[in-house]
Amino acid sequence: MVTVPTIELREHQKDVFWAMTTGPYKRGLYIANRRSGKDIVALEIALANALMGKPGTILYFNPTYRQIKNTVWTAIADNGIPIRDMVFHKDLVKGINHSDMSITLINGSVIKFLGSDSYDTSAVGANAKMVIFSEWSLCDPRAWDYVRPIVAMNGGKAFFIGTPRSRNHMYDMYLMALNNKDWYVRKRGYLETKTMTQEQYDKEIENGMPETIAQQEFNCSFDVANEGTYYGKEVQHMRNQGRICSLPIDYNVPVCTAWDLGISDATAIIFYQHEGDWVNIIDYYESNGSGLGEYTKVLKDKGYIYEHHYFPHDVNNRELGTGETRLIMLSKMGIQGEVVPMKSINYGIECVHRLMPRLRINLDTCAKLIKNIELYHKRFDEKNNVYLDTPVHDESSHCADSLRMLAIMERDRINSIIARQTFILPTKSYDPFNP
């Protein structure tokens, strides 16, 4: 007779297991420090739910297909036994399909392992009764949006585990779950899980680990700029200096806008004013699938006095239906704008870095902008374990692109001011003998 859990759980794992198996919860979020056994308890939860009730499918996501293969499917425990074989005891398994990484249990339930990077193809047709997201902070959040209607219709469960990566979608879920009685939520650092001592923690820092990263990895702090982000540290610095705050909007001061124009994805518009040397971002708008007429209405309804509108170079692309460029179409609608000079992405990112020390952002109207520029990050090369100097295109890209437009034009404005400066020359030559 095989009992579940098949691996003896540690004390900090037990309440998590029972909450998501026999407990009343349909949703759960478990945040714990690195190496605390989050995947072990999540796999045991997957097994228990697969064996309970009617047979069904359980989807177990990791951030990428490559990662799920390395961390779960082929991972070896410290005792030399594959973790998969330890959790899914042979007496409970009917069959294993290595090509699509799925396990069929003796009751007919299937546990399938997927990467969130291919959710729209790998999860097609899966009538899931439960989904689990491991390393949720690194997963594509759209994967959950894709499968949640199926889980909801089936009255199923969803469970999320991971370690923080700044204030991204895991942070948003954590704040939501804390105030939702229908969610089981726990956040535990190294002292609570007892996976390392204070002396061991101090030793890691002594041996060169940055304390901010140690706080993130071992104490589950959300207040750390994510490794690999372009502007994470600058945004945190702005918070510390009080430059992300409630900014008063003076409707008598002209407003400039910087755009990222989307067709199949989002359009982003930053509204900003100059105050001495400061650039104050006072407002932000983002929309997906709206027409140019909608943006015209948004600008009018804001009630600002507009000075300049700055568009990316693709505003000169011609629309298939009219043959006119979007620049001309916007002009006919009353939005007269300039095209930002075409520069490389890296040039624009450098302009943003130069702008950051004199940037202030209105916390009341720009929460989404603040979050996304903090999360805008580089692509990670898993093979070589390095970050590439290429940004990932995701939901943070649109506001980051509009910020680049702002920064490029701001750099040109400052350069123009410097170029116009002249030295005052004396009206006549100085004669030391005839002062």
Side-chain angles (χ1 to χ4, degrees):
M1 181 67 178
V2 179
T3 60
V4 178
T6 51
I7 298 176
E8 184 177 356
L9 299 178
R10 289 177 277 180
E11 283 302 315
H12 69 273
Q13 298 170 320
K14 291 179 181 178
D15 64 327
V16 184
F17 176 82
W18 295 115
M20 295 308 301
T21 53
T22 59
Y25 301 100
K26 294 285 189 180
R27 301 288 183 268
L29 173 62
Y30 182 51
I31 300 171
N33 61 286
R34 191 67 57 200
R35 304 293 295 172
S36 60
K38 297 183 293 295
D39 267 304
I40 292 295
V41 70
L43 289 169
E44 293 287 359
I45 288 170
L47 175 62
N49 279 278
L51 294 172
M52 293 190 304
K54 294 180 180 180
T57 300
I58 293 183
L59 303 179
Y60 196 104
F61 286 92
N62 256 77
T64 66
Y65 176 86
R66 179 190 179 98
Q67 191 170 346
I68 193 71
K69 188 174 183 179
N70 292 338
T71 60
V72 175
W73 196 254
T74 61
I76 306 296
D78 294 338
N79 58 10
I81 302 174
I83 292 175
R84 187 188 69 230
D85 295 342
M86 292 171 60
V87 175
F88 302 102
H89 193 277
K90 62 181 181 179
D91 292 342
L92 301 175
V93 175
K94 181 178 179 181
I96 297 178
N97 188 324
H98 290 277
S99 62
D100 70 352
M101 290 195 294
S102 65
I103 298 174
T104 302
L105 302 179
I106 54 175
N107 71 334
S109 286
V110 176
I111 301 174
K112 189 173 183 179
F113 297 90
L114 312 167
S116 71
D117 55 341
S118 59
Y119 68 88
D120 52 346
T121 55
S122 58
V124 170
N127 191 25
K129 72 172 187 177
M130 184 177 193
V131 295
I132 295 175
F133 285 90
S134 175
E135 295 295 349
W136 171 235
S137 58
L138 299 176
C139 285
D140 187 334
R142 293 175 296 180
W144 167 229
D145 292 332
Y146 185 83
V147 299
R148 69 190 300 173
I150 302 169
V151 177
M153 286 188 294
N154 290 336
K157 296 180 181 180
F159 183 51
F160 306 82
I161 63 172
T163 303
R165 282 294 183 274
S166 190
R167 298 185 181 188
N168 64 0
H169 54 274
M170 174 183 271
Y171 178 73
D172 294 338
M173 180 178 284
Y174 177 63
L175 294 183
M176 178 275 298
L178 281 176
N179 299 303
N180 193 323
K181 61 181 177 58
D182 296 327
W183 278 70
Y184 172 85
V185 56
R186 291 289 183 275
K187 182 164 82 79
R188 290 171 173 154
Y190 69 97
L191 292 177
E192 190 172 354
T193 61
K194 296 181 172 59
T195 47
M196 68 188 307
T197 64
Q198 183 66 49
E199 290 72 23
Q200 289 172 322
Y201 175 84
D202 294 339
K203 193 69 175 178
E204 289 294 331
I205 296 174
E206 183 182 325
N207 288 335
M209 188 177 197
E211 187 169 1
T212 54
I213 301 300
Q215 279 290 317
Q216 174 182 275
E217 297 298 307
F218 301 133
N219 216 24
C220 298
S221 172
F222 286 104
D223 298 323
V224 179
N226 193 4
E227 186 180 0
T229 60
Y230 284 100
Y231 313 127
K233 291 181 180 178
E234 283 95 336
V235 173
Q236 189 61 46
H237 193 53
M238 290 174 68
R239 280 199 185 94
N240 295 339
Q241 291 189 334
R243 291 190 285 122
I244 296 178
C245 56
S246 294
L247 288 176
I249 301 174
D250 188 341
Y251 285 86
N252 295 313
V253 174
V255 171
C256 298
T257 65
W259 298 51
D260 174 54
L261 276 167
I263 299 177
S264 59
D265 53 9
T267 287
I269 308 173
I270 292 176
F271 301 79
Y272 65 100
Q273 295 174 319
H274 292 100
E275 183 184 341
D277 291 334
W278 292 108
V279 173
N280 294 338
I281 295 180
I282 59 169
D283 207 345
Y284 178 71
Y285 172 81
E286 185 177 308
S287 177
N288 202 324
S290 300
L292 296 180
E294 176 65 23
Y295 307 135
T296 304
K297 184 177 184 303
V298 168
L299 265 65
K300 181 179 179 181
D301 291 346
K302 292 286 185 183
Y304 302 136
I305 301 170
Y306 294 104
E307 184 175 20
H308 297 290
H309 301 290
Y310 298 123
F311 302 119
H313 64 88
D314 57 0
V315 75
N316 280 320
N317 293 344
R318 295 185 181 276
E319 297 288 323
L320 292 177
T322 64
E324 293 183 321
T325 67
R326 286 183 284 175
L327 182 65
I328 292 174
M329 294 172 67
L330 285 166
S331 177
K332 288 181 177 180
M333 296 175 186
I335 304 178
Q336 306 283 343
E338 301 177 43
V339 180
V340 177
M342 188 185 298
K343 303 288 186 180
S344 70
I345 291 177
N346 286 339
Y347 175 87
I349 289 171
E350 177 59 29
C351 288
V352 175
H353 283 301
R354 289 172 178 257
L355 173 67
M356 283 286 194
R358 56 192 188 90
L359 188 65
R360 297 189 293 205
I361 305 179
N362 190 354
L363 181 62
D364 301 330
T365 55
C366 302
K368 187 170 187 178
L369 172 71
I370 296 163
K371 173 186 173 183
N372 283 333
I373 62 174
E374 186 173 20
L375 297 177
Y376 186 56
H377 62 287
K378 302 175 181 179
R379 190 172 299 280
F380 186 71
D381 181 352
E382 293 186 4
K383 182 178 180 180
N384 297 305
N385 199 35
V386 295
Y387 285 97
L388 305 175
D389 201 12
T390 306
V392 173
H393 183 78
D394 59 13
E395 61 181 5
S396 69
S397 303
H398 313 297
C399 59
D401 288 344
S402 57
L403 184 61
R404 279 195 297 112
M405 298 302 103
L406 187 166
I408 290 171
M409 295 309 295
E410 191 61 23
R411 186 170 186 177
D412 285 356
R413 186 181 75 89
I414 294 299
N415 287 342
S416 297
I417 292 173
I418 294 173
R420 288 197 302 267
Q421 291 178 341
T422 57
F423 293 99
I424 300 176
L425 299 177
T427 56
K428 63 178 182 178
S429 299
Y430 174 65
D431 184 351
F433 300 103
N434 186 22

